[in-house]
Amino acid sequence: MTIVVTGSSGFLGSALVSALRADGARVLRLVRREPEASDEEFWDPERDLLDPSVLEGAEAVVHLAGAGIADRRWTESYKRELVDSRIVGTHTLVEALGLLRSRPRVLLSASAIGYYGDTGDREVDESAPAGTGFLATLVRDWEEAAEPVEQEGIRLIRLRTGVVLSSRGGALAKVLPIFKIGAGAPLGSGRQYVSWISLPDWVDAVRFLISNADISGPVNLTAPEPVTNAEYTKAIGKALRRPTMPIPTPAFALRMALGDFADEGVLTGQRVIPRRLLRAGHRFSHPTLTEALAAVL
């Protein structure tokens, strides 16, 4: 099987590529620089540059490219970069797929649980509607940009990913130095929900979805047991055997540091259940936060 991957240099993409190769798949990585290896092909999504012929013969495409949601403070210019890197890049890929003589069986396109907006204490699954705000609108438009492939007979899966736990990248890796010196603290009220998944479980879920032809549409890539931010903070401290601060980080400090991302990505949360994965019989290696942290730390 030949599988094309965009965003392969990120911590999610690199872990997935390694796993797919271990499965015996031929992985072709689309890169935005001069190719340096036989498994790389050039594309420039911002300039709508992608030679469709490089996709011929692929049986699956995993599209993960996009600027990091929490990589920088949300200025107006960075918000535009978040939009363009997702919407324009997805349009470029979708247009190329539509020109193929032999199309892949499935496109797995990155998405996020930010689609649901702030859900408070309410549990949501894939049937819940889109929320409101910049992030929810961005994710909704991101998903819609991939929809034309369905008219070409390509199975489309929207990977609504939660907080992926890894010591090598993502949200957890960024805060580990703070927790290791005993300065970890809940954020804001601490009552907002964190819907998380271990990196190994995220990779396994994507592999499961590639091979399961009965599943299409949105799929929540989160563990079955979301926790509050206060519980999340306590669990990290316990896993590292370090104390955590009893006083939470105030909302105003987070807004000063993160801009609008504080209100949409940190002080609010989503209590998300991976209903479709569970009903399809997918088994999580790390269904609880304690197990996940032990595995990734």
Side-chain angles (χ1 to χ4, degrees):
M1 176 181 286
T2 297
I3 301 175
V4 175
V5 180
T6 75
S8 61
S9 62
F11 90 100
L12 292 181
S14 59
L16 179 63
V17 167
S18 295
L20 293 174
R21 286 176 174 161
D23 290 340
R26 173 180 177 266
V27 179
L28 179 66
R29 299 179 295 141
L30 298 187
V31 298
R32 292 178 292 174
R33 51 168 171 74
E34 187 69 24
E36 299 173 349
S38 60
D39 67 341
E40 295 180 346
E41 291 287 352
F42 174 76
W43 79 317
D44 187 341
E46 294 180 3
R47 292 195 292 158
D48 197 25
L49 296 177
L50 173 58
D51 181 357
S53 67
V54 306
L55 305 174
E56 287 285 358
E59 297 178 69
V61 177
V62 184
H63 176 41
L64 304 176
I69 289 290
D71 283 1
R72 285 166 47 192
R73 192 176 189 274
W74 275 15
T75 61
E76 289 305 312
S77 63
Y78 194 59
K79 283 184 178 181
R80 174 47 52 189
E81 183 176 342
L82 291 174
V83 172
D84 290 346
S85 67
R86 285 163 172 75
I87 310 302
V88 176
T90 301
H91 279 309
T92 298
L93 180 61
V94 166
E95 288 174 3
L97 290 173
L99 296 173
L100 297 179
R101 295 187 303 273
S102 176
R103 298 184 177 99
R105 293 179 297 180
V106 60
L107 168 64
L108 299 95
S109 190
S111 182
I113 60 171
Y115 175 91
Y116 304 109
D118 183 14
T119 71
D121 292 335
R122 176 172 53 92
E123 284 188 353
V124 296
D125 62 17
E126 292 87 351
S127 66
T132 58
F134 169 78
L135 186 56
T137 301
L138 168 60
V139 178
R140 184 199 64 202
D141 293 346
W142 191 13
E143 292 191 356
E144 290 179 354
E147 288 180 359
V149 300
E150 294 179 302
Q151 300 171 13
E152 305 294 341
I154 300 173
R155 177 167 63 101
L156 174 62
I157 295 177
R158 303 169 182 88
L159 302 172
R160 290 182 183 167
T161 298
V163 176
V164 182
L165 303 183
S166 171
S167 61
R168 296 178 291 172
L172 179 61
K174 291 179 179 179
V175 300
L176 281 179
I178 299 172
F179 277 85
K180 286 179 178 179
I181 63 172
L187 304 178
S189 70
R191 294 190 296 271
Q192 68 274 30
Y193 271 83
V194 179
S195 293
W196 55 272
I197 186 171
S198 73
L199 178 59
D201 270 338
W202 184 90
V203 170
D204 285 347
V206 173
R207 292 160 67 204
F208 176 79
L209 292 169
I210 289 174
S211 62
N212 194 321
D214 295 329
I215 301 178
S216 62
V219 179
N220 292 332
L221 269 61
T222 60
E225 298 185 12
V227 297
T228 65
N229 180 265
E231 293 168 334
Y232 179 72
T233 300
K234 184 177 180 180
I236 296 173
K238 185 175 181 180
L240 293 172
R241 297 183 175 85
R242 294 290 187 274
T244 55
M245 303 290 288
I247 301 174
T249 304
F252 77 85
L254 294 168
R255 292 187 180 105
M256 289 179 62
L258 303 175
D260 292 344
F261 178 64
D263 285 309
E264 296 203 34
V266 176
L267 297 172
T268 59
Q270 297 83 31
R271 190 177 186 180
V272 176
I273 304 300
R275 190 83 63 199
R276 301 198 68 196
L277 282 174
L278 294 172
R279 287 179 175 171
H282 179 66
R283 298 176 67 89
F284 289 82
S285 297
H286 313 122
T288 70
L289 183 57
T290 298
E291 292 171 305
L293 290 172
V296 302
L297 296 178

